[in-house]
Amino acid sequence: MAGVLLTGHGGFDKLVYRNDLPVPTPGVGEVLIRVAAAGVNNTDINTRIGWYSKSVKSETATGGTTGFAYVEDTDASWSGTPMSFPRIQGGDCCGYIVGVGEGVDSRRVGERVIVRNVFQSYVGYRPWEIWTFGSEVDGAFAEYTKAPSRETYRVECDWSDVELASMPCAYSTVENMLQRAHVQAGDHVLITGASGGVGSAAIQLAKRRGASITAVATSAKSEVMLQLGANRVHPRGESIVDALGRNCIDVVLDVTAGPDFRELLEVLKPGGRYAVAGAIAGPIVELDVRTVYLKDLTLFGCTFQDEVAIKNIVSYIERGEIRPLVSKSYSLKDIVVAQKDFLAKNFSGKLVLRVPE
């Protein structure tokens, strides 16, 4: 089969397109999936360049093209353990079940499915422990992949494969953040990185819950953010405190961190909630602990997800409550072009790889 191998931490040269890879064999409780499309995510780049290692202090873009001069391989993964190479990445998968392993009903063959991007099957459903699709196990950047049947979900909708592949990572990440931060109708929610895959998902899913939304994005992308459901768009790079004032936001959904982190806590109301699932603007931030305890803030780190997050997303899709925002699609063999465009950030929503062409 054709696929893209990640051969180590580093630059684009670590992505190797091959057409002689073996088709995986589904094991007990697994399904074999013919991949139709796979979304491009920030975590693909973070994993490639080893950004998850504590030895890296800068934002993703600094090493996105060539990697970093030094990465401590021992902790450069989601799980904090060494990566195993070569690895097929790709955490977003839309495809069709073409085979089943022992213990799986053969009637599943033919289903169009998406795959949960954080697996609990392989760790015995222990709390706060996951394996990530495309990191701890091979993912969707290939013509075929395998996944636990229990964590592979049939979806009935009229969307294209490319559109459906834009959903799993971004939307389940946000649904988890919303659940953890207890977002409800009437909350004023501030969303950073609002024009990206996770951010645009956050606008739709927070609006679905009845929240009022202030989105942080470049001025050029304001109209798209408003069409998605934002009530207001704050220009990225300008002071949030100066524009909104202190103590006016119920919940912050953050995927950027970086130099604006201090202001994100300043705009939260006393008793406010801050949920974070990324740090693309930089993982090292300035934190005044007095702000946290004097305002009784609650901070949520959001990686582990209960199964209900992806199950909810499937139900929202099938009921027509959310819609995809795909900017562009590419052939799998053009993954480097797709990642370069991803790093340039001149788009809104998601970029998706077609598998095969």
Side-chain angles (χ1 to χ4, degrees), residues 42 46 51 60 170 173-174 177 190-200 202 216 252-258 264 274-282 302 345:
N42 209 79
N46 284 341
W51 180 88
T60 299
T173 293
V174 173
M177 296 172 81
L190 177 73
I191 299 170
T192 68
S195 65
V198 175
S200 58
V216 180
V252 169
L253 302 180
D254 187 23
V255 294
T256 62
L264 297 179
Y274 168 89
V276 61
I280 60 174
C302 301
K345 302 297 183 187

Side-chain angles (χ1 to χ4, degrees), residues 290-309:
R290 292 168 295 189
T291 303
V292 177
Y293 76 79
L294 290 174
K295 293 178 67 173
D296 289 288
L297 302 181
T298 304
L299 278 58
F300 298 95
C302 301
T303 294
F304 175 86
Q305 302 171 16
D306 286 319
E307 279 185 292
V308 67

Side-chain angles (χ1 to χ4, degrees), residues 56-253:
V56 176
K57 309 296 184 184
S58 60
E59 73 279 6
T60 299
T62 299
T65 298
T66 60
F68 295 102
Y70 174 76
V71 169
E72 178 57 62
D73 289 340
T74 58
D75 67 344
S77 70
W78 277 53
S79 62
T81 57
M83 284 281 293
S84 176
F85 298 109
R87 172 66 70 214
I88 298 173
Q89 293 184 278
D92 267 336
C93 177
C94 169
Y96 297 79
I97 294 178
V98 294
V100 298
E102 181 182 343
V104 180
D105 191 334
S106 62
R107 288 176 295 182
R108 294 212 65 184
V109 171
E111 290 180 4
R112 185 165 76 147
V113 296
I114 61 174
V115 178
R116 186 184 183 196
N117 63 298
V118 287
F119 293 142
Q120 290 183 270
S121 295
Y122 297 131
V123 294
Y125 282 79
R126 292 188 292 271
W128 307 109
E129 189 173 350
I130 52 173
W131 280 10
T132 307
F133 194 38
S135 178
E136 281 68 49
V137 293
D138 285 341
F141 290 167
E143 289 183 297
Y144 294 90
T145 190
K146 65 178 182 177
S149 176
R150 176 172 171 175
E151 299 180 274
T152 301
Y153 299 88
R154 180 174 183 168
V155 184
E156 297 287 347
C157 69
D158 61 1
W159 297 0
S160 70
D161 295 332
V162 165
E163 290 174 322
L164 196 52
S166 72
M167 289 283 126
C169 290
Y171 282 76
S172 64
T173 293
V174 173
E175 183 69 7
N176 183 49
M177 296 172 81
L178 294 170
Q179 291 169 346
R180 299 279 293 281
H182 308 293
V183 173
Q184 56 191 338
D187 280 341
H188 187 177
V189 177
L190 177 73
I191 299 170
T192 68
S195 65
V198 175
S200 58
I203 292 174
Q204 291 189 57
L205 292 176
K207 177 63 68 173
R208 180 193 165 278
R209 290 176 178 243
S212 174
I213 298 163
T214 295
V216 180
T218 60
S219 298
K221 299 174 181 177
S222 293
E223 186 58 35
V224 176
M225 302 301 97
L226 294 171
Q227 290 174 359
L228 282 176
N231 300 91
R232 172 177 179 169
V233 179
H234 174 75
R236 190 183 72 195
E238 297 184 13
S239 170
I240 299 171
V241 172
D242 288 350
L244 303 181
R246 288 176 168 80
N247 303 332
C248 62
I249 298 292
D250 297 291
V251 178
V252 169
L253 302 180

